[in-house]
Amino acid sequence: QGSELSGWAMGRWTYEGIDLNHNFADLNTALWDAEDNDMVPHEFPNHYIPIPEYYTFANATVAPETRAVIDWMQRYPFVLSANLHGGELVVTYPFDMTRTYWKAQELTPTADDGVFRWLATVYATSNLAMASEERRLCHYDDFIRFGNIINGANWHTVPGSMNDFSYLHTNCFEITVELSCDKFPHASELPTEWENNRESLLLYMEQVHRGIKGVVRDQETEQGIANAIISVDGINHDIRT
């Protein structure tokens, strides 16, 4: 129900007054508290973190859209995702929530920071609008000097983001693409927006072929093993088959 004439924030909330951009369970705080108490990963997992009980209550402030997306994530083993926003020209990557709870901005990298920075860079450098030599600032933030990518929490903290939830509750690595200075482009501008993003969307999807992939099998039966935990030295974030 939004319009530029009534302000960019109009339409951000659902009819019930819920901001879907902040509506996922905060798993970050539980992880960081466990890390501070040296409980990770032996007593508290560094991946597939369970959803807190309070979040599952019927009277919890959780939109049906959010519950549906979580159910979708749990049914399908996604490994790569991007959500598309408007109002800026930048690609953000997790964490979206600052580790210091009272800070509005703070660099808060994940254990897979190098991978996330690569994924964001792949999109930003192939996006025609972001890579243009005539690129101008959308507002007051100068993302150009950072290559049009930024750690989400280092821009502004977003507790309960889908990016952080995807990373901590599933195997999925997710980024946010702010793909236009204009939050409400006119229909006549959509073909241009498509051309700006077509190649970057394709290149981004191709990144699923990076890294180690294969099947974990039982040595004797050669049957696939579900829920096998794969750990990589030096990266405090495991993956499950």
Side-chain angles (χ1 to χ4, degrees), residues 97-101 103-108 151-155:
M97 179 181 174
T98 57
R99 183 155 186 162
T100 307
Y101 73 92
K103 285 191 175 181
Q105 291 176 293
E106 181 184 43
L107 180 63
T108 311
N151 171 254
N154 207 26
W155 181 20

Side-chain angles (χ1 to χ4, degrees), residues 2-239:
S3 164
E4 279 190 307
L5 300 177
S6 58
W8 68 267
M10 286 297 293
R12 185 183 182 104
W13 291 272
T14 66
Y15 183 78
E16 292 80 13
I18 297 174
D19 180 356
L20 298 178
N21 201 42
H22 295 248
N23 198 222
F24 289 81
D26 169 19
L27 305 181
N28 305 53
T29 300
L31 173 66
W32 294 334
D33 286 347
E35 286 181 347
D36 290 341
N37 290 290
D38 295 323
M39 298 170 62
V40 178
H42 307 294
E43 299 175 57
F44 191 91
N46 64 10
H47 70 299
Y48 269 58
I49 297 173
I51 295 174
E53 186 179 11
Y54 74 84
Y55 191 85
T56 64
F57 293 159
N59 62 350
T61 309
V62 183
E65 294 92 338
T66 309
R67 294 191 189 277
V69 169
I70 291 174
D71 180 61
W72 189 43
M73 290 175 172
Q74 292 172 336
R75 282 185 290 123
Y76 294 93
F78 296 116
V79 296
L80 188 67
S81 177
N83 58 78
L84 308 179
H85 292 210
E88 258 298 351
L89 272 173
V90 67
V91 182
T92 76
Y93 55 90
F95 285 116
D96 286 333
M97 179 181 174
T98 57
R99 183 155 186 162
T100 307
Y101 73 92
W102 49 268
K103 285 191 175 181
Q105 291 176 293
E106 181 184 43
L107 180 63
T108 311
T110 66
D112 292 285
D113 189 57
V115 176
F116 275 115
R117 284 188 287 108
W118 169 261
L119 292 172
T121 299
V122 164
Y123 201 103
T125 55
S126 57
N127 179 278
L128 297 184
M130 294 185 199
S132 171
E133 294 181 357
E134 300 177 357
R135 164 93 159 86
R136 298 286 186 269
L137 299 184
C138 288
H139 304 292
Y140 53 84
D141 289 309
D142 184 6
F143 297 116
I144 301 171
R145 59 194 178 103
F146 302 124
N148 298 306
I149 72 169
I150 192 169
N151 171 254
N154 207 26
W155 181 20
H156 61 268
T157 186
V158 180
S161 80
M162 183 159 63
N163 289 359
D164 289 3
F165 182 86
S166 293
Y167 180 67
L168 295 176
H169 187 66
T170 78
N171 281 338
C172 190
F173 285 32
E174 183 168 353
I175 63 172
T176 293
V177 180
E178 302 278 353
L179 47 74
S180 175
C181 292
D182 185 355
K183 204 167 183 69
F184 302 99
H186 190 268
S188 63
E189 299 175 89
L190 294 183
T192 300
E193 293 294 344
W194 168 241
E195 289 302 323
N196 286 343
N197 288 276
R198 178 176 61 176
E199 187 64 19
S200 42
L201 285 166
L202 291 170
L203 284 173
Y204 183 73
M205 285 190 286
E206 289 174 4
Q207 302 313 304
V208 296
H209 298 297
R210 285 192 169 271
I212 299 169
K213 54 184 179 288
V215 179
V216 177
R217 301 183 187 276
D218 182 283
Q219 187 173 10
E220 296 180 357
T221 67
E222 295 191 354
Q223 294 298 305
I225 301 176
N227 295 314
I229 298 175
I230 301 169
S231 299
V232 178
D233 285 347
I235 300 179
N236 189 23
H237 182 82
D238 299 336
I239 293 292

